[in-house]
Amino acid sequence: MTHQPISLSAPRHHRLLWPMMATLLVVGWSSGFVGIRYASEEAGVMLVLFWRTLLSGVILLPFALTIGPLLRMRGIAEQMLFGVMSVFLYLGGFALAIEQRVPTGLVALISDLLPLAIAALSQPVLGERLSARQWFGTAIAVFGVLIVSFDSLSFGAAPLWAYGLTVGSMLVFALASVLHKRRRTQHMPVHQSLCIHTLTGSVLFGLCAMMQGDLAPPLTRAFAVGMVWLVLIATFAAYSIYYTSLRLFPVAQVSAAIYLSPPVTMLWAWALFSEPLTAATFIGLTATLVGVWMTSRS
């Protein structure tokens, strides 16, 4: 297979399409923190993930059954596998690591290195080779993420396997992303695939939540607000835009936008929870913007 820089392999679209989709992706991806912040005040993480995925899947189910091609068992089975990888193992792995007392800042940093893993996998799996400029941009973006995350980094007393779990969860989602991109001719509509992903995740998260106690949701305002946020923004918006972008643009270019999630998350925390902004936030945001621009520009 001939290897070309990803900037040359992208299909031609309106020049504003990717900036608009990248902005929506970053806003949706970083907003998961807000929903978790509200909902986890009233329930354990596994229960929150169960209701997040169950509500998402149930809302999408009527549309998945009536709009789009007829769902066949082979396609459903393939999407269930992607659901296990991109929903259950990815979200659940990080949740379990936090419950095992891996510091949240370290978990967030490893999660935010997802684009680096995708960039590394995109060449051997997809034949999408990053140019020297794009690797340099990636390095700058990673540096920006480290600046933003530095103050919250610490190493706790969690078991060794829990630290490995965070890395493994990130790598599983990276692999799922490049495999999803690789299946160019057998894509089903995003609303159908996302429905299968979330319903698959809900079954597995439900089993985990039952092991910890009851599946009944807390009937509180904070939990309801958290669920609305997680379902509408962090699931429907973020995942839908992410999978749609994978079909239109090179996978490393799409994932590079996720580097902007840490500083944007800090802005969410400042706007909604009055958490202070530091100089490191703005320095890291600037560095990350430069890195993402270098990685994504044609």
Side-chain angles (χ1 to χ4, degrees):
M1 179 178 292
T2 301
H3 299 300
Q4 297 179 342
I6 63 170
S7 59
L8 299 179
S9 62
R12 294 184 179 274
H13 301 286
H14 192 283
R15 63 180 183 176
L16 294 180
L17 178 61
W18 169 239
M20 289 189 297
M21 295 190 70
T23 300
L24 293 174
L25 175 61
V26 172
V27 170
W29 204 272
S30 61
S31 70
F33 157 79
V34 179
I36 290 290
R37 176 79 174 259
Y38 279 119
S40 62
E41 293 178 359
E42 308 291 338
V45 177
M46 288 298 173
L47 186 62
V48 170
L49 292 175
F50 165 68
W51 281 103
R52 169 185 175 175
T53 52
L54 179 64
L55 291 173
S56 300
V58 169
I59 293 172
L60 287 173
L61 186 58
F63 302 98
L65 294 176
T66 58
I67 303 175
L70 180 66
L71 294 174
R72 301 185 182 280
M73 286 306 301
R74 179 179 177 180
I76 292 174
E78 290 176 348
Q79 294 302 325
M80 287 177 67
L81 177 60
F82 281 118
V84 171
M85 297 173 69
S86 63
V87 176
F88 178 68
L89 293 179
Y90 178 59
L91 298 177
F94 288 128
L96 181 57
I98 292 173
E99 287 187 346
Q100 291 295 318
R101 300 186 303 280
V102 177
T104 304
L106 183 60
V107 172
L109 174 61
I110 294 174
S111 172
D112 294 329
L113 294 180
L114 169 68
L116 183 61
I118 291 178
L121 288 171
S122 62
Q123 179 173 345
V125 178
L126 300 174
E128 295 180 357
R129 180 175 62 85
L130 272 71
S131 66
R133 186 201 73 237
Q134 290 165 326
W135 275 117
F136 185 56
T138 297
I140 294 175
V142 171
F143 181 66
V145 170
L146 290 173
I147 292 175
V148 173
S149 306
F150 183 78
D151 288 342
S152 61
L153 288 182
S154 63
F155 290 91
L160 184 61
W161 64 264
Y163 294 96
L165 182 63
T166 59
V167 177
S169 298
M170 181 267 291
L171 292 176
V172 164
F173 190 83
L175 180 60
S177 296
V178 295
L179 291 178
H180 186 274
K181 174 70 172 180
R182 186 176 182 177
R183 303 189 63 80
R184 298 176 185 272
T185 60
Q186 300 186 36
H187 283 307
M188 66 172 59
V190 171
H191 67 282
Q192 290 183 325
S193 60
L194 187 56
C195 176
I196 298 171
H197 294 179
T198 52
L199 288 179
T200 301
S202 71
V203 172
L204 299 173
F205 285 132
L207 293 174
C208 295
M210 281 194 297
M211 295 178 185
Q212 298 178 345
D214 197 349
L215 289 180
L219 300 179
T220 63
R221 180 179 178 275
F223 189 81
V225 170
M227 282 297 106
V228 170
W229 201 288
L230 287 171
V231 170
L232 296 183
I233 303 178
T235 300
F236 289 169
Y239 273 85
S240 296
I241 295 169
Y242 182 71
Y243 286 127
T244 301
S245 299
L246 286 181
R247 300 181 184 187
L248 299 176
F249 303 98
V251 63
Q253 176 180 329
V254 174
S255 64
I258 298 175
Y259 283 128
L260 291 168
S261 292
V264 174
T265 297
M266 299 292 185
L267 295 178
W268 279 116
W270 167 75
L272 296 177
F273 306 113
S274 300
E275 294 187 6
L277 292 175
T278 64
T281 300
F282 295 101
I283 295 172
L285 176 60
T286 302
T288 306
L289 279 170
V290 171
V292 171
W293 173 75
M294 292 181 66
T295 303
S296 302
R297 75 183 181 92
S298 298

